[in-house]
Amino acid sequence: MKLSTKGRYAVMAMVDLASHSAGRPVALADIADRQEISLSYLEQLFAKLRRGGLVRSVRGPGGGYLLSREMGETRISDIILAVDEPIRATRCSPGVSRGCHSDKSRCLTHDLWEELGNQIHLYLSAVSLADVCERRILGTSGVVHHRAVAAAAE
């Protein structure tokens, strides 16, 4: 299972916007440069984020985008869903009793993968844009990195 580029880039761009805004609009070209994302791709993503009510645009000189709500009120799952990226771990359509086998039955591991998708959604719904910007998300990658640095220093 994999989160698409569209979902990852939308989260990266929103974190960048939240980090660099300081109450002033941020130009997409600046986000594109900092995050190394195509400007035309960002324009498509921000059109969806705007329709989803997560950002608002400011026209004219010094224009760009602003968050529509506080960082703490925007969930990572909101961002991913706004760009039409459901996170699924099964081949089957969610909420449908038919399975993905040719005879329309479900495989034995269907419930396992469906629950994994549910847990991922719950996790991303519990993490806010503020949590990411303020580096309150520390998983084992941070622990492993700190251990490696400490071991290298010895």
Side-chain angles (χ1 to χ4, degrees), residues 14-27 31 34 56 65-67 71:
M14 287 289 285
V15 169
D16 186 287
L17 174 62
S19 299
H20 290 91
S21 172
R24 294 182 313 273
V26 177
I31 296 172
R34 284 190 295 266
R56 59 187 172 91
Y65 283 88
L66 290 165
L67 296 175
M71 288 191 299

Side-chain angles (χ1 to χ4, degrees), residues 23-147:
R24 294 182 313 273
V26 177
L28 284 186
D30 294 338
I31 296 172
D33 287 343
R34 284 190 295 266
Q35 298 303 318
E36 300 178 355
I37 300 172
S38 153
L39 179 58
S40 62
Y41 196 68
L42 272 184
E43 288 169 344
Q44 294 171 33
L45 291 177
F46 270 73
K48 291 182 178 198
L49 293 167
R50 190 174 46 77
R51 282 193 299 273
L54 298 178
V55 297
R56 59 187 172 91
S57 62
V58 176
R59 297 187 186 274
Y65 283 88
L66 290 165
L67 296 175
S68 292
R69 51 190 183 200
E70 296 295 320
M71 288 191 299
E73 296 174 10
T74 301
R75 303 289 163 189
I76 300 303
S77 61
D78 297 338
I79 299 167
I80 293 168
L81 293 174
V83 295
D84 302 325
E85 286 300 306
I87 298 171
R88 291 185 18 213
T90 63
R91 292 187 298 179
C92 307
S93 298
V96 177
S97 60
R98 289 191 325 247
C100 55
H101 285 175
S102 60
D103 66 357
K104 303 298 180 208
S105 65
R106 288 182 169 190
C107 65
L108 293 174
T109 59
H110 176 88
D111 293 333
L112 170 71
W113 303 128
E114 187 168 49
E115 185 57 25
L116 174 62
N118 291 339
Q119 291 299 318
I120 292 169
H121 179 75
L122 285 172
Y123 173 71
L124 295 175
S125 295
V127 177
S128 72
L129 202 49
D131 292 331
V132 177
C133 291
E134 295 165 13
R135 299 182 183 263
R136 293 191 296 241
I137 306 301
L138 179 62
T140 56
S141 60
V143 173
V144 170
H145 173 71
H146 292 304
R147 286 185 186 152

